[in-house]
Amino acid sequence: MTVEEVGDDYTKDGTVDLRGNPVRRSIRGRWKACSFVVVYEVFERMAYYGISSNLVIYMTTKLHQGTVKSSNNVTNWVGTSWLTPILGAYVADAHLGRYITFVISCAIYFS
């Protein structure tokens, strides 16, 4: 390989890996990263819709709320969970950066 061929293997946008080394396109990202994101999203969606479908039943039977009040609480929860990514995008873009924001958001979400 020539120097030009080796230089073409690195990304052009200045991205670095966790150790601060330049990222090589041939060994990073692609389907390895894509499969992680897809599997994460599948499990996250399954948990979200599983909780939202059973939450009204839980609130009416265990918490003894009325049907109207429990449905209103669930729609407030759904609306909040759909709007909080906008707040997260602002915090990531303007203040913390995307990686630390992702880690903090995951910690809040898992707890």
Side-chain angles (χ1 to χ4, degrees):
M1 284 188 185
T2 65
V3 174
E4 291 82 23
E5 290 174 356
V6 172
D8 284 342
D9 191 32
Y10 292 98
T11 58
K12 304 289 190 244
D13 61 354
T15 54
V16 293
D17 63 5
L18 293 174
R19 295 185 183 108
N21 300 323
V23 175
R24 295 181 62 189
R25 290 184 291 176
S26 62
I27 60 172
R28 296 283 185 237
R30 301 189 185 235
W31 286 108
K32 187 179 195 180
C34 181
S35 62
F36 172 75
V37 171
V38 168
V39 169
Y40 176 82
E41 285 298 318
V42 166
F43 285 127
E44 190 268 336
R45 290 288 100 191
M46 284 180 5
Y48 175 82
Y49 287 115
I51 290 171
S52 65
S53 64
N54 292 320
L55 202 53
V56 173
I57 296 169
Y58 176 76
M59 287 184 174
T60 55
T61 57
K62 299 293 182 185
L63 299 180
H64 306 293
Q65 292 181 351
T67 307
V68 174
K69 186 172 181 179
S70 62
S71 297
N72 189 22
N73 288 337
V74 170
T75 56
N76 289 339
W77 175 73
V78 168
T80 302
S81 65
W82 280 97
L83 288 177
T84 51
I86 296 171
L87 175 66
Y90 170 74
V91 170
D93 289 343
H95 300 288
L96 296 179
R98 62 183 171 186
Y99 295 115
I100 192 69
T101 304
F102 178 76
V103 170
I104 291 171
S105 299
C106 284
I108 291 170
Y109 194 72
F110 288 140
S111 66

